[in-house]
Amino acid sequence: MKTYKNIFNDIISLENLFLAWDKFKGDKQKKKDVQQFEWKLEENIFQLYGELKNNTYKHGAYVSFHIHDPKQRQIHKAVVRDRVLHHAVFNVLNPIFEPTFISHSFSCRLDKGTHKGVEAMTKKLRQVSRNGFKPCFVLKCDIKKFFETVDHSKLLRIIRRKIKDKEAMQLLEQIIGSFSSKYSNIFNQKGLPIGNLTSQLFANIYLNGFDQFIKGDLKVKNYIRYTDDFVIISRDRKYLENLIISIRAYLSEELYLELHPKKVSIRKFSQGIDFLGYVTMPHHSVLRTKTKRRIFRKLKKRVDGYLTGAVSKETLEQSIQSYLGTLSHANTYRVSNELKNQFWFWLKK
């Protein structure tokens, strides 16, 4: 295994910090805290660099709020300087760990995402079922409270296998330790904050061993994962039932995680497979009802923002095109027309 011994200076370099800022600011430039940071950008970046260089940097606290997407999630938002650092860390760590990930892990990776995940599952379903002519079953699982129960000590041990830079590890320990969920105790600190860019990378690093176990040890051919949701496809229902025992044992013993007891199921392909916002069937796919409702709700909110001047015309147009793009991945001709009609109706009210 290749290891990396001198990456701390790459992470904290001024070049990387300014690059991280450019990637971070994106569409956030109208946010008040981002504008305040940008007002004295060079001074803020140099101050951050100095603290990192002199080992006086301290990660700040988080602001907590809830979103519905579609279920309620608690988001923890770090201050701007910390989020810039998260991007700087990601810039250096992601190229190190990305090559170790399996091809069918689709969350928060370049040229991956939900649509590619659904496409990969659909392709495998049709291969295994011979385009719907053979029996085909899907084991679908969800890891219970995944982000809230990631064990800090275990995550750091996994990262240390590749990262042998003491200063880099001290920085990662501080970032990971900056958040603690309600599942922590005096012996074990747990949890990654939903909202940190680094959390997405850490999630993939944490579950990579599980992916390798599924593909290497269990020799599973038809496996697709998106964060804490995954599916396994087979013609043999009993084979899938037996896999659950091994999966549950690995997650518990190696990663201190557990499957959600109410979200483990085996379904026939002909019944429709609900995965990543779409329901896939042998000859077509449709949008999940909750996904459709969420799209309409979010677009209505964008239109309301545009009418009050809080959202630009460009952002509004990007939103409608993005949602129509989402719909284009399923048989949603009528839903797309309905969305367009509602969009113009809201604008003219």
Side-chain angles (χ1 to χ4, degrees):
M1 178 191 294
K2 184 176 180 181
T3 58
Y4 296 79
K5 298 180 180 179
N6 299 293
I7 64 167
F8 181 70
N9 288 332
D10 294 334
I11 293 172
I12 72 165
S13 71
L14 287 169
E15 180 183 6
N16 190 42
L17 291 175
F18 277 107
L19 176 62
W21 162 256
D22 288 336
K23 289 183 176 181
F24 160 75
K25 67 180 182 180
D27 59 352
K28 305 179 187 70
Q29 289 173 294
K30 289 193 175 182
K31 302 288 185 180
K32 188 176 180 181
D33 56 349
V34 177
Q35 291 176 341
Q36 289 174 338
F37 191 89
E38 189 170 29
W39 181 253
K40 296 183 177 180
L41 178 61
E42 290 192 1
E43 180 180 329
N44 287 326
I45 293 291
F46 274 92
Q47 181 180 348
L48 177 58
Y49 168 77
E51 291 178 14
L52 291 164
K53 184 74 173 176
N54 298 321
N55 294 315
T56 58
Y57 167 80
K58 299 294 180 186
H59 196 288
Y62 291 87
V63 174
S64 174
F65 59 93
H66 289 88
I67 62 169
H68 295 269
D69 190 31
K71 63 183 179 181
Q72 181 171 287
R73 294 181 184 275
Q74 188 173 17
I75 304 297
H76 293 87
K77 179 181 173 183
V79 298
V80 171
R81 71 196 302 265
D82 293 333
R83 284 185 282 162
V84 171
L85 177 60
H86 298 163
H87 276 261
V89 168
F90 184 89
N91 288 346
V92 175
L93 284 194
N94 193 57
I96 292 173
F97 285 95
E98 173 66 26
T100 70
F101 300 150
I102 66 168
S103 61
H104 282 148
S105 165
F106 286 91
S107 176
C108 303
R109 296 175 63 196
L110 187 64
D111 296 324
K112 301 289 185 179
T114 55
H115 298 146
K116 291 288 180 69
V118 173
E119 287 171 9
M121 182 189 72
T122 303
K123 182 178 179 180
K124 285 189 173 292
L125 283 167
R126 289 177 179 159
Q127 287 174 345
V128 174
S129 71
R130 295 290 191 269
N131 288 323
F133 288 103
K134 295 287 185 179
C136 180
F137 300 90
V138 178
L139 168 62
K140 185 170 180 287
C141 299
D142 182 294
I143 298 173
K144 183 180 179 182
K145 303 290 183 184
F146 170 67
F147 279 99
E148 295 172 83
T149 56
V150 168
D151 186 272
H152 290 191
S153 295
K154 180 66 179 181
L155 174 58
L156 287 166
R157 285 199 298 273
I158 294 170
I159 295 173
R160 282 194 191 98
R161 293 172 191 164
K162 289 192 76 69
I163 307 302
K164 303 299 182 181
D165 183 323
K166 183 179 178 181
E167 288 182 297
M169 285 308 307
Q170 287 175 339
L171 178 59
L172 294 177
E173 286 173 18
Q174 186 174 168
I175 292 172
I176 292 168
S178 67
F179 175 80
S180 182
S181 77
K182 64 182 180 181
Y183 293 94
S184 300
N185 55 48
I186 57 173
F187 302 108
N188 301 98
Q189 194 171 352
K190 294 177 179 285
L192 295 174
I194 299 175
N196 278 8
L197 174 65
T198 48
S199 294
Q200 308 299 329
L201 175 59
F202 292 151
N204 280 331
I205 292 171
Y206 199 76
L207 288 175
N208 187 43
F210 175 67
D211 294 339
Q212 304 299 336
F213 169 73
I214 294 288
K215 299 292 290 181
D217 293 35
L218 299 183
K219 309 296 183 185
V220 173
K221 293 181 179 179
N222 304 305
Y223 166 74
I224 295 163
R225 181 178 64 80
Y226 188 94
T227 314
D228 54 343
D229 292 327
F230 59 92
V231 295
I232 298 174
I233 302 163
S234 175
R235 288 187 198 165
D236 187 342
R237 185 186 184 102
K238 192 66 179 177
Y239 166 74
L240 294 177
E241 290 174 355
N242 291 336
L243 282 178
I244 296 172
I245 299 170
S246 299
I247 288 170
R248 184 174 279 122
Y250 183 94
L251 289 173
S252 174
E253 295 167 13
E254 298 295 327
L255 298 177
Y256 319 129
L257 300 171
E258 61 178 296
L259 292 177
H260 197 299
K262 295 181 180 179
K263 295 183 180 180
V264 176
S265 64
I266 298 177
R267 289 175 62 88
K268 292 180 181 179
F269 183 20
S270 58
Q271 293 176 298
I273 308 303
D274 186 340
F275 186 57
L276 304 182
Y278 297 88
V279 179
T280 303
M281 287 170 275
H283 302 294
H284 70 288
S285 61
V286 297
L287 203 65
R288 184 192 293 162
T289 302
K290 287 183 179 179
T291 305
K292 174 188 169 183
R293 290 174 182 164
R294 186 170 77 251
I295 286 174
F296 276 71
R297 184 174 65 249
K298 284 189 170 183
L299 184 59
K300 176 65 164 61
K301 188 175 180 180
R302 285 288 194 187
V303 172
D304 290 344
Y306 171 72
L307 294 175
T308 60
V311 172
S312 69
K313 182 180 180 181
E314 181 184 7
T315 299
L316 181 64
E317 290 174 348
Q318 288 173 348
S319 294
I320 182 67
Q321 292 305 319
S322 174
Y323 294 136
L324 289 173
T326 297
L327 295 174
S328 71
H329 291 270
N331 300 84
T332 54
Y333 176 79
R334 289 165 65 179
V335 176
S336 295
N337 283 338
E338 184 183 348
L339 185 69
K340 292 174 190 175
N341 291 335
Q342 279 293 136
F343 175 70
W344 291 113
F345 174 76
W346 290 328
L347 277 178
K348 295 174 181 178
K349 279 186 69 176

